[in-house]
Amino acid sequence: MTPLVNSDRILDELRTLATFSEPAAEGAEKPGDTAVTRIVFTERDREARAWLAEQTEAAGLTIRTDAVGNTFFRWQGSEPDLPAIATGSHIDAIPNAGMYDGTVGVLGGLEAIRALQGSGFVPKRSIELILFTSEEPTRFGIGCLGSRVMGGVLSTQSAERLRDKDDKTIDEVRSAAGFRAPLADAKLPRGHYAHFVELHIEQGPILEREGLDIGIVTAIAAPASSRITIQGEGGHAGAMLMPIRKDALAAASEVILAVEAAALATGAIDTVATVGMCDVFPGAVNSVPSRVRLSLDVRDIDEARRDKVLSDIQQACEATAAKRHAIITTEVINSDAPASCSPQILDAIEAACNSEHAKSQRMVSRAYHDSLFMARICPIAMIFIPCRGGVSHRPDEFSTPESIALGTRILAKTLAILSGL
Ligand code: GLV
Ligand code: MN
Ligand code: MN
């Protein structure tokens, strides 16, 4: 069985999907780049979802949605009562992102199904394409919202406490988007799916650097994130004398450097820590900052080592607070375990790679993905394709049409193997 992947079609669809975007920020997009901003449940996201549904309907897939907006496109197998095989990813995009993160897994999943249909393949287990809601943390501050709820990792009560920047609740925005069932109904039981496999761009430089075609993901790093608030004392930038200042931004600078130092101190390449957001209050040229809010993102494939970094950062916050007479508080947003991939799926992906004569290597994923939370309910694995320079979350993110087509063929063959097990 040779799934005939239509490379032009998937590229056309990736380009069309990229048009459902807020305008690029000034200067964000250089010639040849495509900047995409698509925040969950905004008008652009809803338009993109409607467009995707049309493409899946044309492929004869049936559609189901859940309370959080996860959407399931099903190709019925010859034994529909067996747990299905699932694939998929996300289409939301952080501000000024590129056009491949997540979308390759969704449109690649759809193309894989169409390629299998076109080859006359009849799956024993049904095959479902899943569009996950809000893999990116942009709107509600927490990543993988849809798969977390589906995997039972985020309780209904915790989800209901989430607020966006306009103080809207998840219930408000999901019901405005047409998803009104009780949130608790979105949790799926263990065993609902037989296997889940996600195609994604690597978002790192290894495959390209090593001249490899495919990464076979064996584990996904453990992410943690929190919000650090530094409360100092504001005042007039001219009149407030230096010795008595409690400048919240100066204190925040020490915290940021401590975050970097804590990650570097492990000596492990797999430890990463980032402060990506810094909100300064009141934010005036001639006012000493009284309050700063920082975002903190720490990840490691080794959970204990990640937790040690978090506790080193906490100690540094306490030392800075004491030294600068500031109040520093930390609110944990998520602290997740890593996930291991299923040897059975890894073998299926490897067999698919061999039949395509693709050069592959097993590797870990340092980025998180919806697979991390699907691992709570079924065996998972991921297929990575190279991306230029390892660049992601930027408008110059790029994967070649050949890589996308090869990844899609390997996904199709993997789904075919798994659906017959
Ligand atoms: C996903 O976008 C991540 O931040 O790993
Ligand atoms: Mn992303
Ligand atoms: Mn992604």
Side-chain angles (χ1 to χ4, degrees), residues 89-90 101-102 135-136 198 200 203 368-369 393:
S89 194
H90 62 101
D101 175 6
E135 190 263 0
E136 303 291 5
E198 180 173 3
H200 206 282
Q203 303 183 287
Y368 59 68
H369 302 281
H393 284 184

Side-chain angles (χ1 to χ4, degrees), residues 118-140:
S119 72
F121 177 77
V122 178
K124 182 172 95 177
R125 292 175 188 274
S126 300
I127 297 180
E128 271 190 22
L129 170 66
I130 308 179
L131 164 65
F132 293 97
T133 285
S134 195
E135 190 263 0
E136 303 291 5
T138 315
R139 184 155 191 177
F140 287 104

Side-chain angles (χ1 to χ4, degrees), residues 52-65 70-77 80 84 110 113 117 126-131 193:
L52 179 69
E54 282 169 25
Q55 314 317 305
T56 61
E57 270 164 23
L61 309 186
T62 56
I63 303 183
R64 171 178 92 80
T65 56
N70 293 315
T71 306
F72 308 81
F73 307 98
R74 187 177 177 95
W75 180 23
Q76 182 113 311
L110 173 58
I113 289 174
Q117 290 173 332
S126 300
I127 297 180
E128 271 190 22
L129 170 66
I130 308 179
L131 164 65
Y193 290 113

Side-chain angles (χ1 to χ4, degrees), residues 110-193:
L110 173 58
E111 183 58 31
I113 289 174
R114 288 185 302 218
L116 289 171
Q117 290 173 332
S119 72
F121 177 77
V122 178
K124 182 172 95 177
R125 292 175 188 274
S126 300
I127 297 180
E128 271 190 22
L129 170 66
I130 308 179
L131 164 65
F132 293 97
T133 285
S134 195
E135 190 263 0
E136 303 291 5
T138 315
R139 184 155 191 177
F140 287 104
I142 189 162
C144 298
L145 182 60
S147 49
R148 261 178 211 280
V149 172
M150 201 190 295
V153 180
L154 185 69
S155 68
T156 306
Q157 296 89 313
S158 306
E160 280 166 355
R161 277 198 295 273
L162 298 172
R163 296 281 183 281
D164 71 4
K165 68 174 176 21
D166 300 320
D167 217 31
K168 288 204 173 124
T169 63
I170 184 94
D171 275 352
E172 285 173 295
V173 298
R174 75 186 175 95
S175 57
F179 306 108
R180 299 199 180 92
L183 207 50
D185 292 359
K187 177 174 164 8
L188 291 179
R190 179 165 272 283
H192 180 85
Y193 290 113

Side-chain angles (χ1 to χ4, degrees), residues 34-310:
T34 306
V36 180
T37 301
R38 191 163 46 241
I39 313 298
V40 68
F41 296 145
T42 56
E43 220 176 310
R44 297 291 88 77
D45 179 52
R46 289 156 67 174
E47 287 164 0
R49 286 167 180 257
W51 170 82
L52 179 69
E54 282 169 25
Q55 314 317 305
T56 61
E57 270 164 23
L61 309 186
T62 56
I63 303 183
R64 171 178 92 80
T65 56
D66 73 10
V68 73
N70 293 315
T71 306
F72 308 81
F73 307 98
R74 187 177 177 95
W75 180 23
Q76 182 113 311
S78 61
E79 298 195 25
D81 294 335
L82 289 177
I85 307 301
T87 185
S89 194
H90 62 101
I91 61 165
D92 64 320
I94 66 164
N96 299 292
M99 57 177 268
Y100 300 92
D101 175 6
T103 54
V104 163
V106 174
L107 293 173
L110 173 58
E111 183 58 31
I113 289 174
R114 288 185 302 218
L116 289 171
Q117 290 173 332
S119 72
F121 177 77
V122 178
K124 182 172 95 177
R125 292 175 188 274
S126 300
I127 297 180
E128 271 190 22
L129 170 66
I130 308 179
L131 164 65
F132 293 97
T133 285
S134 195
E135 190 263 0
E136 303 291 5
T138 315
R139 184 155 191 177
F140 287 104
I142 189 162
C144 298
L145 182 60
S147 49
R148 261 178 211 280
V149 172
M150 201 190 295
V153 180
L154 185 69
S155 68
T156 306
Q157 296 89 313
S158 306
E160 280 166 355
R161 277 198 295 273
L162 298 172
R163 296 281 183 281
D164 71 4
K165 68 174 176 21
D166 300 320
D167 217 31
K168 288 204 173 124
T169 63
I170 184 94
D171 275 352
E172 285 173 295
V173 298
R174 75 186 175 95
S175 57
F179 306 108
R180 299 199 180 92
L183 207 50
D185 292 359
K187 177 174 164 8
L188 291 179
R190 179 165 272 283
H192 180 85
Y193 290 113
H195 296 287
F196 176 77
V197 54
E198 180 173 3
L199 173 66
H200 206 282
I201 59 168
E202 182 200 351
Q203 303 183 287
I206 296 171
L207 295 176
E208 185 185 64
R209 199 174 59 206
E210 309 284 326
L212 295 162
D213 302 313
I214 294 290
I216 304 177
V217 175
T218 54
I220 304 174
S225 69
S226 37
R227 194 175 293 123
I228 302 176
T229 305
I230 297 139
Q231 185 69 54
E233 204 172 290
H236 194 287
M240 200 172 204
L241 299 179
M242 296 305 286
I244 61 155
R245 286 195 184 189
K246 294 177 190 169
D247 181 327
L249 186 55
S253 314
E254 281 190 7
V255 169
I256 294 168
L257 290 175
V259 167
E260 186 184 50
L264 285 169
T266 71
I269 198 74
D270 291 330
T271 317
V272 288
T274 308
V275 175
M277 286 166 69
C278 176
D279 177 26
V280 181
F281 184 84
V285 173
N286 55 354
S287 184
V288 177
S290 62
R291 190 190 68 219
V292 172
R293 289 215 173 96
L294 302 176
S295 63
L296 173 66
D297 178 311
V298 183
R299 311 181 191 202
D300 203 315
I301 204 75
D302 179 331
E303 190 177 5
R305 193 167 58 199
R306 187 222 37 211
D307 287 346
K308 165 84 170 54
V309 169
L310 286 169

